Amino acid sequence: MTQQLKEILEKLDDLKKKFLKDISEAKNDTDLENIRIQYLGRKSEIAAFFNLMGKIHSDERPEMGKHLNILKKYVQETFDNAAEQLKPKATSHEFFDISLPGIPASVGTKHPLNQVLDEIKEIFASLGFTIEDGPELETDYYNFEALNIPENHPSRDLQDTFYINEKLLLRTHTSPVQIRTMERMSPPVRMIAPGKCYRKDAPDATHSPVFHQVEGLCVDEGITFADLKGVITAFARKLFGANVKIRFRPSFFPFTEPSAEYDFSCVMCNGKGCSVCKGSGWLEISGAGMVDPAVFNFVGYDSEKYTGYAFGMGVERIAMLKYQIDDIRIFYENDLRFLNQF
Ligand code: DAH
């Protein structure tokens, strides 16, 4: 190494020391800017050393270049670190004023149908009913056959039922959960089964291809039609108040015998007659009856020993009455102006 290069390397070393001293004393942006100009600018001492390269012996240029580059990189990195350290810290009152009002989180509400469902579940739970569940994709057996619905029954019609294939369909009512529950447990059974049902209905003010039902079933020794009336009455009073009246009319369902349809006195006009009850003073709710012994035979219950009642109810229908809604479609449109009211 020539004397010349040796001196240059010593000077670089001094330069580095001087830089480290200066940068350690830098207190503000002005100090930093001065240091940047002095050590990293186009006219800096380091730049001057680069200019010197042409003047030294070509054999020693690579060696000098290497040292210069190392120093330059070191100065740049140290400078950047120091600049970072000196940056104003994000103190809480500069970036986050805790006295400002927050951005309110908009909290959703439970869908009115779910609110009514919750209420129905609560009432029946308080009467000792369990809550059971069944699949929406059902087999023909559970949806029809085990409910004593014969092969040629109109409700099996392709026009009413969404068939997936010959054996699978979207359940048309929650009654199949009666069968599934009885298969699973022996009497006494006291259950409700809320859930979605599907029928090929064109949507209008009172029809939707997807809707909700709650099925009810009670089986034990000595259950009578009076028990059914008592439970439906207790339910209606809890939901619509002590003044509501209940009426049963003879009807037919393949899975109950005898069968009935039940009505509540109109909750709008208290039975006087209005546009909602079409002047009759009564509102149809759904069907009910005593479990047909044929159904017990399907699930292996002893129909000599046990009797039971079953009932259905439409959740949309009840919600429409409760909230005085005259078009079922509004439940499914997700219009916030409607939903926010609940
Ligand atoms: N499953 C019937 C329907 O969807 C309603 C019904 C009627 C349910 C009578 C019952 C019943 O449990 O006993 O129209």
Side-chain angles (χ1 to χ4, degrees):
M1 187 188 294
T2 62
Q3 185 63 26
Q4 192 193 15
L5 180 60
K6 225 168 136 186
E7 278 169 22
I8 288 173
L9 293 186
E10 273 164 21
K11 279 184 191 161
L12 287 183
D13 211 38
D14 291 344
L15 185 61
K16 181 174 165 181
K17 282 181 189 142
K18 194 151 74 78
F19 164 75
L20 283 175
K21 184 167 176 286
D22 287 349
I23 198 88
S24 71
E25 285 167 1
K27 286 187 185 58
N28 51 41
D29 284 353
T30 322
D31 294 348
L32 275 179
E33 182 57 10
N34 287 335
I35 293 169
R36 192 189 65 75
I37 292 165
Q38 191 181 344
Y39 294 96
L40 292 161
R42 267 196 303 126
K43 293 184 176 155
S44 68
E45 290 182 58
I46 294 179
F49 277 110
F50 274 103
N51 293 335
L52 210 66
M53 292 263 281
K55 299 205 173 93
I56 70 163
H57 195 278
S58 61
D59 284 354
E60 294 189 318
R61 257 181 233 147
E63 182 70 10
M64 177 171 170
K66 195 178 95 188
H67 281 87
L68 266 178
N69 280 325
I70 289 172
L71 178 65
K72 191 179 168 201
K73 189 162 173 254
Y74 176 80
V75 167
Q76 183 73 58
E77 282 174 4
T78 311
F79 178 87
D80 290 345
N81 279 339
E84 186 66 30
Q85 298 285 319
L86 274 180
K87 250 197 202 162
K89 293 279 176 312
T91 53
S92 61
H93 78 276
E94 275 166 326
F95 279 86
F96 186 71
D97 181 351
I98 54 166
S99 70
L100 282 174
I103 301 164
S106 63
V107 179
T109 53
K110 229 176 214 181
H111 194 281
L113 284 179
N114 279 326
Q115 291 190 28
V116 169
L117 254 175
D118 283 351
E119 210 176 327
I120 295 173
K121 286 192 231 173
E122 221 173 277
I123 293 172
F124 280 106
S126 78
L127 295 170
F129 284 70
T130 63
I131 294 166
E132 306 297 334
D133 205 8
E136 289 167 29
L137 187 59
E138 255 308 356
T139 62
D140 180 273
Y141 177 78
Y142 286 104
N143 198 80
F144 295 125
E145 201 177 326
L147 286 163
N148 202 32
I149 300 175
E151 198 116 353
N152 51 0
H153 192 274
S155 68
R156 287 198 177 207
D157 199 316
L158 275 171
Q159 283 192 332
D160 301 320
T161 307
F162 287 108
Y163 280 94
I164 305 298
N165 57 37
E166 247 177 53
K167 287 265 159 271
L168 280 179
L169 48 86
L170 293 175
R171 70 177 177 195
T172 57
H173 50 182
T174 43
S175 303
V177 189
Q178 286 187 28
I179 307 297
R180 290 183 176 274
T181 306
M182 287 192 279
E183 278 183 351
R184 221 177 38 241
M185 49 173 111
S186 34
V189 170
R190 206 187 285 167
M191 69 88 174
I192 59 163
K196 280 197 183 76
C197 307
Y198 303 82
R199 275 181 213 174
K200 278 192 186 171
D201 281 326
D204 64 21
T206 54
H207 293 88
S208 162
V210 187
F211 57 99
H212 298 78
Q213 284 188 341
V214 174
E215 192 75 15
L217 173 73
C218 172
V219 183
D220 203 349
E221 289 178 50
I223 298 288
T224 69
F225 206 98
D227 296 309
L228 169 63
K229 283 174 114 173
V231 156
I232 296 290
T233 305
F235 167 74
R237 287 185 180 160
K238 283 205 178 182
L239 196 68
F240 288 117
N243 291 331
V244 70
K245 291 189 189 62
I246 288 83
R247 172 173 92 170
F248 284 80
R249 291 174 285 112
S251 186
F252 174 78
F253 297 99
F255 37 94
T256 44
E257 181 57 38
S259 299
E261 274 170 85
Y262 63 97
D263 307 335
F264 292 173
S265 58
C266 181
V267 291
M268 308 292 174
C269 63
N270 263 324
K272 287 186 204 67
C274 67
S275 63
V276 173
C277 58
K278 299 194 182 82
S280 75
W282 293 97
L283 298 163
E284 291 178 21
I285 301 298
S286 185
M290 299 305 289
V291 180
D292 195 303
V295 173
F296 283 154
N297 291 341
F298 274 103
V299 296
Y301 277 16
D302 182 349
S303 58
E304 294 293 320
K305 190 170 170 197
Y306 296 109
T307 51
Y309 62 78
F311 58 87
M313 63 180 69
V315 180
E316 279 81 350
R317 176 127 185 90
I318 289 173
M320 286 167 82
L321 295 174
K322 198 170 161 61
Y323 298 124
Q324 314 201 352
I325 292 164
D326 59 6
D327 193 322
I328 197 173
R329 289 168 288 195
I330 201 162
F331 286 126
Y332 316 111
E333 281 166 359
N334 281 336
D335 186 335
L336 289 178
R337 291 168 304 177
F338 168 71
L339 295 175
N340 280 337
Q341 296 175 54
F342 296 91

